[in-house]
Amino acid sequence: MSDEIHEHCGIALIRLLKPFSFYKEKYGTNYYGIHKLYLLMEKQHNRGQDGAGVAGIKFDMPPGIPVIHRVRSASSNALEEIFKKINRKLADIEENKPQKAEDEVWLKNNVPFMAELLLGHVRYGTYGSSGNEYCHPIKRENNWLTKNLVIAGNFNLTNVDELFEKLLDLGQHPREKTDTITILEKIAHFLDKQNEKLFAKYKAAGHSNTEISSLIAQHLSIKDMLYNASKRWDGGYTIAGLLGHGDSFVLRDPNGIRPAFYYHDDEIVVATSERPALRTGFNIQTREIKELKPGHALIIRRDGKVSEEEVLPPGEKKSCSFERIYFSRGNDQDIYKERKGLGKILAPSVLKTINYDLENTVFSFIPNTAELAFLGMMEEVEHYLDKAKENELEKIEGKNDKAKLKKLLSLHPRIEKIALKDTKLRTFITNDINRNDKAAHVYDTTYGVVNRGIDTLVTLDDSIVRGTTLKQSIFRILDRLGPKKIIVVSSAPQIRYPDCYGIDMAKLTDLVAFQAAVALLKESFKDNLLDEIYEKAKAMDELSREKVVNLVKQIYDLFTPEQISRKITELLTPDDIKAEVEIIYQSVEGLHEAIPDHKGDWYFTGNYPTPGGNKVVNRSFINFMEGKNVRAY
């Protein structure tokens, strides 16, 4: 994605099912869990660079020794910083206390993350806040083991205001009004309620307080706790949690918006946001990895029992298609095929646009994440060319025209690396004027591969959100090469609506497709529709979210995708550019053909999977009409 859009967060949960000595004997290290956690987090580093954190819970610790350990960092190299701290302690022991390095009991008592239960998180902050305190995991500690709670997640809720008021009704005084704190406090409240109920039950039965602590740990219902906490949540989420006595869980939203995968055997239970991390981290086959079902929780009890249980009734599965297009790593075997499929579907439109002139066309892609779709597109172009060669061969067969035959057989698509991102320009730019200058130079180009005034230059991008980088940088640097025409191809459809489930696309005004639709309205003297929708949206904003419909769809319904694409091209073409410019988008139908099993397409179609999405898009429109450059949730 040439526009700078941030990734989702990523989680990694590990539960060791054997004593540390088992891993020492089999894998040669007492630090097996720590090493695997680092690997899983590093393999999901693509999901967030704003910070990271690790938490661990130790089992059966004597009173007076900490049970929960946590380290977090919001630095630019957060993962490296965190594991340097962890490994510094381990290295010190190996060097200065080598006899202790073999003592499992001593290690557990003295090394912070020698824990049976580990939780890691890589962060992208949707609200842009930075600092260690914003990094996951977050925790609530208590002297009762069963009241300790640690959570980390990949989520966004649309109804935080409503949930915050519910916490106030419960008599709480939350320290922040964010979905992170809201989720923590909601789960913690119902965890406390269960503790209190069970305490009263066992106290009445004559058990001592010490006995009651053990009985509560055995009989807490994680499923009931999660149901009561989450039944009013509106949003997309995968949330992992650890309880102080050793239970743990991973909960996924009813529409499966956010991804979650897990694997377990008799040695380990592990859950992550992406499947390839598990495959690589444990050298297992795809068939051995399970996808956590929507509305379900993976529940791991202190005694090692593992179950996947329905917490909330699953709705229609609307897994985020942007995970497949861009966010998740492309080395997942299904995502690899899907991204190539997106490119393949685009090939006929591209060939038609260049009038099938492959001799005078150069193909490339921007940025690296678009490579797989580019491969798929070029494979289809090669397929077309093979057919064309067959047809031409039939015409010259037997005529001994060696020159023509040689030219025909030498014809191949011209593929070049045209645009290169200069990541070194990301720092030290502060004021807006210099930031715009940076944007103009964030990409560089390869000279000498385009025939000036003759060639058409085709570049593939994963998606076009704001189009800022295209207008300020990419079109200008490509124009320096002197092509007759520049064609930018998006493997994703037009992004028309804001996202409210975790992607940094929160405002209608940022979306170039919306800007284009509004411009078309004004050109056709239909901009009175904006005022009509505004009045309806204001009235509808007072209704409960279940009664709200997406009013912004009415704007797009007046125009074809081709009309909007042409207007986007016009808006993003710099005034001083010499080449002709055209932008081609993937169709929604093409998206679903390439990615049939992940139907979350609300940013393209406006079909939000939860009622809160409709409320957010209407509020975003109200903000646009009132000139407010703020988020709608």
Side-chain angles (χ1 to χ4, degrees):
M1 188 182 293
S2 54
D3 287 318
E4 193 166 323
I5 298 296
H6 293 277
E7 294 87 342
H8 301 302
C9 300
I11 61 167
L13 183 149
I14 290 177
R15 165 70 155 91
L16 301 177
L17 297 174
K18 301 285 189 182
F20 294 118
S21 57
F22 171 86
Y23 305 100
K24 171 67 173 177
E25 183 178 343
K26 184 170 181 177
Y27 300 106
T29 176
N30 280 311
Y31 315 130
Y32 178 79
I34 298 171
H35 293 168
K36 289 297 185 184
L37 185 67
Y38 170 74
L39 181 59
L40 295 178
M41 293 175 70
E42 187 60 59
K43 291 298 180 182
Q44 296 181 102
H45 201 182
N46 57 295
R47 302 190 67 82
Q49 293 84 42
D50 284 356
V54 170
I57 288 184
K58 300 183 179 185
F59 295 176
D60 304 320
M61 298 301 291
I65 297 180
V67 170
I68 300 175
H69 293 271
R70 181 184 63 172
V71 59
R72 299 180 295 176
S73 172
S75 72
S76 58
N77 58 339
L79 264 182
E80 181 182 351
E81 183 177 290
I82 285 171
F83 281 94
K84 270 187 177 179
K85 289 180 180 178
I86 294 172
N87 290 326
R88 193 178 299 125
K89 176 74 171 178
L90 305 182
D92 179 66
I93 294 169
E94 295 286 348
E95 182 177 350
N96 299 311
K97 300 177 182 177
Q99 72 281 6
K100 298 295 187 183
E102 303 300 320
D103 187 338
E104 178 185 332
V105 175
W106 188 91
L107 288 171
K108 184 172 177 179
N109 287 337
N110 291 275
V111 177
F113 293 96
M114 278 290 293
E116 289 87 351
L117 199 48
L118 294 163
L119 178 60
H121 186 266
V122 290
R123 176 184 187 264
Y124 161 63
T126 308
Y127 287 91
S129 301
S130 60
N132 287 7
E133 68 272 20
Y134 293 101
C135 294
H136 293 200
I138 58 172
K139 63 179 179 176
R140 192 199 67 162
E141 293 190 271
N142 192 285
N143 280 339
W144 286 75
L145 281 180
T146 50
K147 288 188 177 183
N148 284 271
L149 176 64
V150 179
I151 69 166
N154 170 18
F155 56 82
N156 253 54
L157 300 185
T158 70
N159 62 332
V160 173
D161 290 346
E162 172 195 334
L163 297 171
F164 185 82
E165 292 300 321
K166 292 292 182 183
L167 289 175
L168 299 184
D169 291 343
L170 293 170
Q172 294 193 18
H173 189 86
R175 67 182 186 273
E176 291 178 28
K177 193 177 183 180
T178 64
D179 52 5
T180 299
I181 296 300
T182 300
I183 285 173
L184 176 71
E185 296 299 341
K186 285 288 282 185
I187 297 174
H189 171 75
F190 289 104
L191 177 60
D192 288 349
K193 295 285 283 185
Q194 278 206 43
N195 270 272
E196 292 159 9
K197 181 179 178 181
L198 290 171
F199 183 89
K201 173 183 174 181
Y202 295 122
K203 193 68 174 176
H207 293 281
S208 69
N209 288 355
T210 303
E211 291 172 334
I212 289 173
S213 294
S214 178
L215 288 167
I216 290 174
Q218 294 174 42
H219 294 97
L220 276 174
S221 173
I222 306 300
K223 176 180 176 179
D224 289 349
M225 175 190 73
L226 293 175
Y227 169 76
N228 287 310
S230 65
K231 61 185 177 183
R232 296 188 64 83
W233 294 351
D234 186 294
Y237 51 86
T238 292
I239 297 167
L242 317 178
L243 276 61
H245 64 281
D247 285 352
S248 56
F249 63 85
V250 180
L251 174 65
R252 192 179 186 195
D253 66 84
N255 297 103
I257 296 171
R258 300 274 68 85
F261 299 89
Y262 70 96
Y263 165 78
H264 76 93
D265 55 25
D266 62 346
E267 297 180 11
I268 198 166
V269 186
V270 57
T272 56
S273 293
E274 293 193 24
R275 188 167 62 179
L278 293 175
R279 281 211 62 177
T280 303
F282 293 91
N283 192 27
I284 52 179
Q285 298 301 310
T286 298
R287 65 177 182 275
E288 298 177 86
I289 301 169
K290 296 181 180 179
E291 180 181 1
L292 183 58
K293 293 190 283 292
H296 285 61
L298 172 68
I299 297 174
I300 311 161
R301 299 307 301 247
R302 167 63 179 81
D303 63 8
K305 181 183 177 184
V306 180
S307 61
E308 183 178 347
E309 301 183 30
E310 182 180 310
V311 173
L312 295 167
E316 182 181 1
K317 190 177 181 185
K318 290 282 187 175
S319 301
C320 174
S321 58
F322 245 122
E323 287 279 358
R324 322 300 286 185
I325 297 168
Y326 172 70
F327 289 119
S328 293
R329 288 167 65 108
N331 59 331
D332 180 282
Q333 63 187 50
D334 292 335
I335 293 176
Y336 185 87
K337 294 174 184 176
E338 291 162 1
R339 290 184 185 172
K340 289 185 69 176
L342 289 168
K344 178 180 178 180
I345 290 166
L346 283 164
S349 297
V350 172
L351 287 166
K352 183 178 180 181
T353 303
I354 65 173
N355 198 28
Y356 304 92
D357 181 7
L358 295 177
E359 282 190 75
N360 299 304
T361 300
V362 175
F363 295 91
S364 192
F365 60 91
I366 309 169
N368 288 343
T369 49
E371 182 178 9
L372 298 183
F374 181 76
L375 289 176
M377 183 176 77
M378 297 317 299
E379 283 181 9
E380 193 65 11
V381 170
E382 288 274 14
H383 180 69
Y384 157 77
L385 187 56
D386 288 343
K387 290 287 186 182
K389 286 180 178 180
E390 286 180 19
N391 293 336
E392 289 301 313
L393 282 171
E394 290 179 0
K395 295 177 184 178
I396 63 174
E397 187 176 355
K399 296 182 180 179
N400 202 27
D401 192 338
K402 292 184 178 179
K404 191 172 184 180
L405 182 61
K406 184 177 180 180
K407 181 181 179 182
L408 180 63
L409 294 176
S410 65
L411 183 59
H412 294 283
R414 295 166 60 194
I415 298 172
E416 304 289 353
K417 183 73 172 178
I418 293 293
L420 306 94
K421 195 167 189 177
D422 194 342
T423 56
K424 294 180 182 178
L425 286 171
R426 288 180 138 189
T427 56
F428 21 85
I429 303 298
T430 53
N431 63 60
D432 289 338
I433 294 174
N434 286 337
R435 190 177 295 114
N436 288 336
D437 186 58
K438 183 204 81 166
H441 295 89
V442 74
Y443 283 88
D444 207 341
T445 190
T446 303
Y447 294 94
V449 295
V450 173
N451 297 317
R452 302 183 72 87
I454 298 173
D455 288 341
T456 294
L457 184 53
V458 175
T459 59
L460 184 98
D461 198 346
D462 335 87
S463 57
I464 303 167
V465 185
R466 304 181 183 104
T468 307
T469 307
L470 273 179
K471 185 168 186 174
Q472 294 183 352
S473 178
I474 293 174
F475 279 140
R476 283 194 167 95
I477 66 164
L478 296 182
D479 194 50
R480 294 176 202 157
L481 303 177
K484 179 179 66 176
K485 183 175 183 178
I486 299 170
I487 300 171
V488 172
V489 186
S490 170
S491 65
Q494 297 165 3
I495 298 170
R496 299 180 168 195
Y497 303 92
D499 182 79
C500 52
Y501 305 119
I503 304 175
D504 184 23
M505 300 188 303
K507 305 170 190 173
L508 267 173
T509 50
D510 286 344
L511 307 180
V512 69
F514 179 73
Q515 297 168 21
V518 170
L520 288 170
L521 271 181
K522 293 178 178 179
E523 288 176 5
S524 56
F525 303 103
K526 295 177 181 177
D527 46 322
N528 62 305
L529 178 62
L530 297 175
D531 296 315
E532 293 175 15
I533 293 175
Y534 174 69
E535 294 302 326
K536 290 179 183 177
K538 289 285 285 184
M540 197 172 282
D541 199 42
E542 302 301 318
L543 303 177
S544 65
R545 65 182 186 275
E546 289 78 12
K547 296 179 181 179
V548 176
V549 297
N550 183 348
L551 295 172
V552 179
K553 284 185 176 184
Q554 297 176 38
I555 298 172
Y556 293 105
D557 288 344
L558 296 175
F559 308 106
T560 66
E562 291 74 22
Q563 287 176 299
I564 293 175
S565 291
R566 286 195 292 272
K567 179 53 67 175
I568 290 172
T569 300
E570 182 182 321
L571 292 176
L572 296 185
T573 301
D575 294 335
D576 56 350
I577 200 167
K578 297 176 183 177
E580 180 187 352
V581 173
E582 184 171 352
I583 298 175
I584 299 173
Y585 280 92
Q586 181 73 259
S587 67
V588 172
E589 294 76 18
L591 171 78
H592 291 160
E593 181 183 342
I595 309 176
D597 299 324
H598 293 75
K599 299 179 180 178
D601 60 4
W602 52 90
Y603 14 69
F604 310 126
T605 65
N607 298 328
Y608 288 91
T610 74
N614 292 330
K615 204 167 183 74
V616 166
V617 70
N618 289 349
R619 281 182 180 170
S620 188
F621 181 78
I622 292 171
N623 291 339
F624 158 71
M625 292 296 289
E626 295 178 352
K628 297 177 180 176
N629 187 29
V630 296
R631 304 172 67 91
Y633 64 97

